Amino acid sequence: MVDDNGKREMLLNEIRGLVQAEGCPYLVQWYAGFVSWRTSAVHVALEFMDLGSLADLKKRLEGKGVPTSHLSCITMQIMQGLHHLHAKDRKSVV
């Protein structure tokens, strides 16, 4: 439930970011969102990340550290995702 104006604005900003990620293979995709009339809770449907999060990777490695090859791949994907968002942002300003 998002009754607080500050929290509501944060949620809307997150949703805007998810919508801007559309079509980028390096960013989680947004499918839908709705508010429950019964509870006023906000529900968001996102792409399933079958390999998990970075926190999941850290757990699987049991404190051994992430291999350099993984780090370079993760970094490349983050940079591609940021590039996509910045390109979309520039287009919406023009």
Side-chain angles (χ1 to χ4, degrees), residues 20-47:
Q20 286 183 328
E22 181 182 15
C24 181
Y26 303 106
L27 298 171
V28 174
Q29 297 297 295
W30 152 277
Y31 293 128
F34 64 93
V35 176
S36 167
W37 292 107
R38 188 173 50 84
T39 64
S40 297
V42 177
H43 300 271
V44 179
L46 302 175
E47 176 181 13

Side-chain angles (χ1 to χ4, degrees), residues 51-79:
L51 295 177
S53 67
L54 291 175
D56 295 331
L57 175 61
K58 185 177 174 183
K59 280 184 204 169
R60 283 195 304 270
L61 294 171
E62 299 172 341
K64 295 176 189 159
V66 180
T68 306
S69 60
H70 283 65
L71 287 176
S72 62
C73 182
I74 291 166
T75 302
M76 186 276 305
Q77 291 177 19
I78 291 169
M79 297 304 291

